[in-house]
Amino acid sequence: MAIPLRGSWPQPMPIIIQWLQDKAGIKASAEVPENLRANLPAVIVSPAPGGTTADGFTRGRAVDIDIFAADWTSMDATIRKVETALSQLQGDGNRYGYVDSSTLTSFSEVSHSMPDVRRCTATITLANRPMTSSGTRSESSDSITKLK
């Protein structure tokens, strides 16, 4: 017998943007600022290819995290803050959704059009279940958890 689906899967980008603000004081964005050099370091999130559907109910959504920095010292410090904050996300959430589990790849350098600005990218995959409009996981989940 199929389990009825109630609610919809939360969008991962708002979860990550808010989480980085709350836990690391990082003002991440879904768009590259117009004057990137004046806003370094910058953390940009965007949809990534991939993801999973493990049991037909829990869905993994992939998001790229790009960090732009003026030098390696600033890049390293920002990477550490992002990794530390995101390592605490699984089993938690915010008003945008709850995350059952997450996986984060290592950051690696990516070439781009500004040679005097460093860019590193990693991909995080968030596994979550549908949320109801009341901000809880779907009643079909193992347990109903209110968001913070």
Side-chain angles (χ1 to χ4, degrees):
M1 179 175 162
I3 298 172
L5 179 64
R6 296 188 178 105
S8 61
W9 286 273
Q11 294 299 312
M13 288 176 32
I15 296 171
I16 293 167
I17 289 169
Q18 188 66 55
W19 190 263
L20 290 173
Q21 176 67 46
D22 294 345
K23 302 298 180 184
I26 293 173
K27 188 173 183 199
S29 174
E31 302 200 14
V32 177
E34 244 181 75
N35 187 354
L36 180 60
R37 283 184 182 90
N39 290 288
L40 296 176
V43 177
I44 312 301
V45 299
S46 59
T52 60
T53 304
D55 56 12
F57 195 68
T58 303
R59 182 174 287 174
R61 307 279 293 276
V63 174
D64 280 340
I65 301 171
D66 291 288
I67 300 175
F68 295 88
D71 54 49
W72 286 113
T73 301
S74 177
M75 176 65 76
D76 215 28
T78 306
I79 286 174
R80 278 197 309 271
K81 288 171 70 174
V82 168
E83 287 177 333
T84 299
L86 292 177
S87 72
Q88 300 166 8
L89 180 54
Q90 53 191 350
D92 209 338
N94 54 35
R95 64 186 170 127
Y96 295 107
Y98 183 87
V99 177
D100 291 320
S101 63
S102 65
T103 56
L104 178 67
T105 65
S106 297
F107 279 91
S108 61
E109 186 174 18
V110 178
S111 62
H112 64 104
S113 61
M114 290 182 273
D116 59 329
V117 175
R118 303 281 179 237
R119 176 185 177 193
C120 286
T121 301
T123 302
I124 187 167
T125 302
L126 305 183
N128 45 33
R129 292 176 257 176
M131 304 295 291
T132 64
S133 59
S134 64
T136 60
R137 287 190 283 178
S138 174
E139 293 174 18
S140 299
S141 300
D142 298 329
S143 63
I144 298 175
T145 304
K146 290 274 189 192
L147 292 178
K148 295 179 179 180

